[in-house]
Amino acid sequence: MSSLIDPFARSIDYLRVSVTDRCDFRCVYCMSENMSFLPKKELLTLEELDRLCSTFVKLGVKKLRITGGEPLVRRGIMTFFESMSRHLETGDLQELTLTTNGSQLEKYADQLYATGVRRVNVSLDTLDPDKFAEITRWGRLPQVLRGVEAATNAGLRVKINAVALKNFNDVELFDLVGWCADQDLDLTFIEVMPMGDLGNEDRLDQYWSLKNLRANLEERFTVNDLTERTGGPARYIRVEETGQKIGLITPLTHNFCESCNRVRITCTGEIFTCLGQEGSSDLREPLRAFPDNDLHLENAIRAAIALKPKGHDFDYSRQQADGQMSRHMSHTGG
Ligand code: SAM
Ligand code: SF4
């Protein structure tokens, strides 16, 4: 079986799948307060998700990241993880992982470890309980901190993902870095992207470039660039005094598209081959129309990959959020 290669000779071996559009938080940069969610029949069932992911594994996907919305609020999601673990056992899949807000980790950390998950990304922008409630609207910090602790106790390697927000967590930079060092957690900062329905002006006000974040770190630490890349938008720096490796995801200030190895699937089975472009194809139709024959699905996947664009068009440089996407991050799963 030939692997998935796009028109720019990029090998696609990383799949991110959103398993729900729902969430128990309402982060301001991701969702509006009153979201309307999809009716259940629109969503891929857990069995359809299994078939879809397994087909991608058959076509050469080695790394699978489950996301959302909040993946751990999808009912029955543990049966999906249990089922996916068979691909880890055969070695066809090298990594099964998830991105979560952490709210349900206290409940599920041990089960996740048992299914073969070894790393989780937990999104956490602030260690201040009031600010946490402000940015997530519905979230509560102690619950997430208990989730992080449960995950590390279960043997999961935890990476904290923090969205860099000016006039919000910029004042906490050294607290966040220090906390992650103390707890032996990996840390990645993400530049806020022009997604969702907040106005452009709000987003520009919040935009804290990671170039500036790096410069702020250098006020206290010796910071060196690392050459390692993982095929995604993250670059890494080392804080020499603490030995920490910190990831910087800078979709807006650095073009990372040339090494892009990933595609995304929404909870309705749409495939997005570029986070920053509107173009998508429907995989639910071939899934549902041919329940016993994967050939149509495989052809639809190959056809979608053949349309993967060269890169995205996000650009803040002209002081307006060009290339702004109308869809929410919770739709494509980040
Ligand atoms: N609910 C899970 C979580 O929060 O980790 C998974 C889904 S969430 C959409 C995935 C990631 O996208 C989170 O780390 C979140 O901070 C990030 N995100 C959401 N909206 C964003 C935006 N406008 N710009 C940058 N990152 C964003
Ligand atoms: Fe939910 Fe994650 Fe979006 Fe926050 S970033 S609203 S936790 S999906």
Side-chain angles (χ1 to χ4, degrees), residues 22-27 29-31 68-70 101 123 330:
R22 287 166 199 259
C23 188
D24 51 348
F25 292 2
R26 290 289 181 279
C27 303
Y29 45 70
C30 178
M31 291 194 182
E70 173 48 41
N101 65 23
S123 304
S330 55

Side-chain angles (χ1 to χ4, degrees), residues 12 45 79 83 93 96 114 136 201 214 221 250 274:
I12 307 305
T45 64
T79 59
S83 170
L93 188 65
L96 174 62
T136 63
E201 274 165 36
R214 190 189 189 288
F221 294 124
T250 54
C274 175

Side-chain angles (χ1 to χ4, degrees), residues 167-188:
N167 302 324
F168 185 75
N169 58 7
D170 44 0
V171 290
E172 274 185 79
L173 175 63
F174 294 107
D175 292 342
L176 275 167
V177 169
W179 180 72
C180 288
D182 290 347
Q183 311 279 322
D184 190 25
L185 307 173
D186 296 322
L187 174 61
T188 286

Side-chain angles (χ1 to χ4, degrees), residues 21-230:
D21 59 336
R22 287 166 199 259
C23 188
D24 51 348
F25 292 2
R26 290 289 181 279
C27 303
V28 296
Y29 45 70
C30 178
M31 291 194 182
S32 50
E33 179 122 42
N34 300 307
M35 294 287 288
S36 44
F37 293 109
L38 294 162
K40 196 172 169 214
K41 67 176 185 339
E42 297 281 319
L43 295 194
L44 298 185
T45 64
L46 292 174
E47 293 73 24
E48 286 168 339
L49 280 167
D50 186 327
R51 209 179 131 211
L52 187 56
C53 293
S54 299
T55 303
F56 271 95
V57 171
K58 184 177 157 199
L59 295 177
V61 158
K62 298 278 177 245
K63 182 171 170 185
L64 183 60
R65 177 175 294 279
I66 307 306
T67 176
E70 173 48 41
L72 296 182
V73 301
R74 169 104 194 225
R75 191 173 305 167
I77 194 63
M78 280 304 137
T79 59
F80 172 78
F81 276 98
E82 279 157 20
S83 170
M84 281 299 112
S85 69
R86 73 186 186 275
H87 299 304
L88 291 171
E89 280 157 22
T90 60
D92 292 338
L93 188 65
Q94 284 165 6
E95 187 172 42
L96 174 62
T97 175
L98 74 156
T99 301
T100 172
N101 65 23
S103 70
Q104 308 302 312
L105 270 181
E106 195 176 17
K107 188 166 154 197
Y108 290 130
D110 287 327
Q111 285 179 66
L112 286 168
Y113 189 88
T115 65
V117 174
R118 292 293 174 267
R119 298 195 302 158
V120 291
N121 288 1
V122 179
S123 304
L124 178 61
D125 305 329
T126 171
L127 293 168
D128 176 320
D130 294 333
K131 282 166 114 178
F132 187 84
E134 183 191 328
I135 199 83
T136 63
R137 292 200 190 98
W138 295 5
R140 296 296 169 261
L141 181 64
Q143 186 181 353
V144 172
L145 295 182
R146 286 199 304 274
V148 170
E149 194 181 347
T152 43
N153 288 343
L156 297 168
R157 182 85 199 152
V158 175
K159 183 167 85 178
I160 300 297
N161 277 345
V163 176
L165 296 163
K166 194 159 74 183
N167 302 324
F168 185 75
N169 58 7
D170 44 0
V171 290
E172 274 185 79
L173 175 63
F174 294 107
D175 292 342
L176 275 167
V177 169
W179 180 72
C180 288
D182 290 347
Q183 311 279 322
D184 190 25
L185 307 173
D186 296 322
L187 174 61
T188 286
F189 288 100
I190 310 173
E191 272 177 3
V192 70
M193 285 188 270
M195 315 284 282
D197 65 358
L198 286 181
N200 291 357
E201 274 165 36
D202 285 358
R203 203 52 49 78
L204 279 172
D205 282 352
Q206 291 174 336
Y207 179 58
W208 177 24
S209 115
L210 295 192
K211 208 170 139 203
N212 293 343
L213 184 150
R214 190 189 189 288
N216 292 355
L217 272 177
E218 283 183 318
E219 290 164 14
R220 204 176 288 183
F221 294 124
T222 313
V223 178
N224 285 313
D225 291 318
L226 299 176
T227 49
E228 104 181 47
R229 294 299 301 262
T230 51

